[in-house]
Amino acid sequence: MTKKSLLLVISALLASNLAFADTAGDTQTVSVTVPSIKLLDIKAASGTSTSADEADALSFTLTAPTAAGDNFANETTGGFYDVTSNVASGGSTTRKITVAADTLGAGWKLTLTPTAVSGATANTISFTSSDVASKDLVTAVGNIAAKDTAISYTFGPESASIVPSYTGADGTTAENITLTYTLSDDS
């Protein structure tokens, strides 16, 4: 074999290796699974998180009016909620937080005024003895993780001319109102 033939064979081998060499780029498929989450925690104080409902209780003690013809003044206290929610990518579904009350005494009114988490809408809602049905507190909740978002609670007479019924047998024992919060798909 001559030098010329040897060079041709070597050149052919090198050219064939280059033809089968890796390119400057490549692709890879990455499979990702993200579960749906709907988490809601209602708290009496900022920074707390407990599964014990009693620790999350709020209380009101109305002060009796001192003059005939006057009614009780409204009392206000605060609470908080934490929420973690995700919705389908590219979808139009959002979530909402609803609240229902179990019972309110005659003439009572409980009003909740939330702060909305980013991108959501807050709704001030009220419950009375004749209206304890579930109501939309916060709507349009999307992909969010938020802590210590405020809710203001106001309790007092249903109207200026209706005095709330007293609690317990003699007006000295507290009665409980159970509020049930639900995070669900907005329809």
Side-chain angles (χ1 to χ4, degrees):
M1 193 180 267
T2 66
K3 283 185 181 183
K4 194 174 188 180
S5 298
L6 185 58
L7 282 174
L8 276 173
V9 170
I10 292 173
S11 295
L13 287 174
L14 287 175
S16 67
N17 282 342
L18 289 176
F20 296 107
D22 283 341
T23 60
D26 203 353
T27 62
Q28 180 181 36
T29 300
V30 177
S31 180
V32 177
T33 302
V34 178
S36 173
I37 49 175
K38 292 188 271 189
L39 301 172
L40 180 64
D41 188 21
I42 307 299
K43 312 177 298 184
S46 173
T48 63
S49 186
T50 177
S51 60
D53 292 335
E54 294 78 24
D56 294 327
L58 300 171
S59 64
F60 293 96
T61 301
L62 297 183
T63 302
T66 56
D70 288 346
N71 202 339
F72 289 94
N74 288 335
E75 295 287 330
T76 300
T77 191
F80 299 89
Y81 69 100
D82 297 342
V83 62
T84 302
S85 169
N86 64 352
V87 295
S89 178
S92 61
T93 300
T94 58
R95 298 219 165 104
K96 63 181 174 179
I97 299 171
T98 58
V99 185
D102 64 342
T103 185
L104 270 81
W108 297 5
K109 183 178 181 180
L110 178 62
T111 300
L112 284 67
T113 305
T115 300
V117 293
S118 179
T121 303
N123 302 298
T124 297
I125 60 172
S126 294
F127 298 103
T128 63
S129 60
S130 62
D131 182 13
V132 294
S134 180
K135 298 172 179 18
D136 293 348
L137 184 68
V138 180
T139 57
V141 176
N143 295 335
I144 190 82
K147 288 190 174 288
D148 297 333
T149 308
I151 304 175
S152 174
Y153 297 81
T154 302
F155 181 80
E158 188 174 339
S159 73
S161 62
I162 299 175
V163 176
S165 59
Y166 62 81
T167 58
D170 59 1
T172 61
T173 306
E175 290 185 22
N176 293 327
I177 302 167
T178 300
L179 299 176
T180 302
Y181 295 79
T182 305
L183 177 61
S184 60
D185 288 347
D186 211 346
S187 49

